Amino acid sequence: MLAFIIRRLGQALLVLMAVGFISFAMFKFMGDPVENMLGQEATLADKAELEERLGLNDPIIVQYFRFLQRALSGDFGVSYRAGLPVGELILDRLPATLELALLSGVIAISLGFVLGVYTAIRRDGVVANFIMTASLVGVSLPTFLIGVFLIWLFAVNLGWLPAFGRGETRSLFGVDLAILTWNGFKSMILPAVTLGLYQMTLIMRLVRSEMLEVLRTDYIRFARARGLSQKTVNFGHAMKNTLVPVITVTGLQFGSIVAFAIITESVFQWPGVGLLFINAVSFVDIPVMSAYLLLVAVIFVTINLIVDLLYFTIDPRLSVSNN
């Protein structure tokens, strides 16, 4: 187990270094941050002085390793747009994104798993067929269109929920959270549903497919032949054996929720790191963009490591094969 964890951590470090370099190199060709910072009336001398002060005249590999060295100590540089440390900007907005992602993940995982199991067990029922047909909406429609439709229905026409913003927040251990207030929770409902609908549909379809596959196996037939109840067969035997592939996709989908919160945060003007990234792109704020992608990479790598460790808990055969 220890060797497995060390090997995974080494792979994670290589992935983070590769992602950091690719993102840092790619953003260098997106525009000129100096021109955005000084404006068109700036002289060549002003531009040269600012480029020298920011270290933009150095080779890109030198800039990258300088960025990496600072990042290891928690220093991601200074935002070209805001003039503030990038770490402070991200930490200020990260709670908004994480609480939205967690609520969205809870909705996607719980409903996706329950509906997937139900449509597998009742696969010939009218309700199950309706759910499967309706789930095509979550797969087919783009996220921003779903968000606009939900705003039109629940905010504009019905007036039940806020259309944008985070609403009221309450501090918990120094972190402002919207979910702790009723107004803030209502503000989270529409963006959370928008963000989690696609993931919920994917999880539901995967659970249904895996459940149906397991229900056709010989040992399930043998369990039924032994006289075990349908409930014991479905939930005691079949469901457990669907968890390994489902956990893989679920973990990756949670990472996708954080990564692709950009679109949802833009539609609902949710003040998270996704909206911060969008504003950084328009201003060619390279430190913010690089730090954001590095943050997303850390989240994906961490989730993958947790998923790999969960495999050993669910399927003991994996621990035996790695010894």
Side-chain angles (χ1 to χ4, degrees):
M1 174 69 80
L2 181 60
F4 171 80
I5 294 176
I6 294 175
R7 187 168 63 250
R8 283 290 188 268
L9 289 176
Q11 294 172 354
L13 182 60
L14 292 176
V15 170
L16 291 178
M17 291 181 64
V19 170
F21 179 75
I22 293 172
S23 62
F24 194 86
M26 179 177 62
F27 291 147
K28 295 295 292 182
F29 302 99
M30 291 187 61
D32 186 5
V34 174
E35 184 175 341
N36 289 335
M37 296 174 70
L38 296 178
Q40 297 181 352
E41 298 180 358
T43 63
L44 294 178
D46 293 335
K47 293 182 178 180
E49 191 274 333
L50 183 58
E51 288 176 353
E52 183 67 26
R53 181 155 55 89
L54 296 176
L56 298 178
N57 292 327
D58 297 330
I60 187 171
I61 191 69
V62 175
Q63 297 183 45
Y64 168 67
F65 277 106
R66 184 167 58 233
F67 165 79
L68 195 61
Q69 183 180 9
R70 292 175 178 173
L72 291 175
S73 61
D75 181 10
F76 295 96
V78 177
S79 168
Y80 296 160
R81 180 172 180 264
L84 297 173
V86 174
E88 292 183 8
L89 293 174
I90 291 181
L91 286 178
D92 183 56
R93 296 199 175 214
L94 188 59
T97 296
L98 289 182
E99 69 172 348
L100 179 63
L102 285 174
L103 180 59
S104 177
V106 169
I107 294 173
I109 294 172
S110 58
L111 288 181
F113 196 85
V114 170
L115 294 178
V117 172
Y118 177 81
T119 53
I121 296 175
R122 307 289 186 183
R123 55 186 177 275
D124 296 325
V126 176
V127 177
N129 288 327
F130 173 78
I131 292 174
M132 292 302 299
T133 303
S135 67
L136 294 175
V137 176
V139 176
S140 305
L141 294 180
T143 302
F144 74 90
L145 190 58
I146 295 174
V148 171
F149 172 75
L150 292 179
I151 291 174
W152 172 80
L153 179 60
F154 293 102
V156 178
N157 283 341
L158 299 177
W160 292 351
L161 299 170
F164 62 90
R166 196 181 179 194
E168 298 178 3
T169 60
R170 181 173 297 171
S171 179
L172 179 65
F173 302 113
V175 179
D176 292 332
L177 298 175
I179 200 170
L180 299 178
T181 66
W182 176 242
N183 180 267
F185 178 72
K186 289 198 302 181
S187 299
M188 293 180 64
I189 293 176
L190 291 184
V193 171
T194 301
L195 188 58
L197 186 60
Y198 177 75
Q199 280 73 20
M200 183 201 73
T201 305
L202 272 182
I203 294 171
M204 183 193 74
R205 288 180 166 271
L206 177 65
V207 170
R208 180 181 185 273
S209 175
E210 292 296 326
M211 191 79 171
L212 289 175
E213 189 69 26
V214 171
L215 288 174
R216 297 189 186 101
T217 56
D218 291 336
Y219 79 91
I220 293 294
R221 296 191 183 97
F222 179 72
R224 287 174 177 152
R226 289 173 54 199
L228 297 179
S229 66
Q230 194 68 22
K231 181 179 180 181
T232 302
V233 171
N234 290 334
F235 299 102
H237 295 275
M239 183 184 297
K240 183 178 180 180
N241 288 277
T242 66
L243 291 179
V244 172
V246 170
I247 285 178
T248 303
V249 174
T250 300
L252 294 177
Q253 289 308 309
F254 183 77
S256 300
I257 287 175
V258 178
F260 300 122
I262 296 175
I263 300 175
T264 303
E265 290 184 4
S266 300
V267 172
F268 291 93
Q269 289 300 293
W270 187 264
V273 290
L275 189 59
L276 178 68
F277 178 78
I278 292 294
N279 295 331
V281 170
S282 62
F283 199 81
V284 199
D285 198 342
I286 296 175
V288 173
M289 293 188 291
S290 300
Y292 172 79
L293 286 190
L294 199 58
L295 172 66
V296 171
V298 168
I299 292 174
F300 267 103
V301 167
T302 303
I303 290 175
N304 279 333
L305 180 60
I306 294 173
V307 167
D308 288 340
L309 295 178
L310 284 176
Y311 285 163
F312 289 92
T313 303
I314 295 173
D315 194 344
R317 294 173 298 177
L318 295 176
S319 59
V320 174
S321 62
N322 281 272
N323 289 332

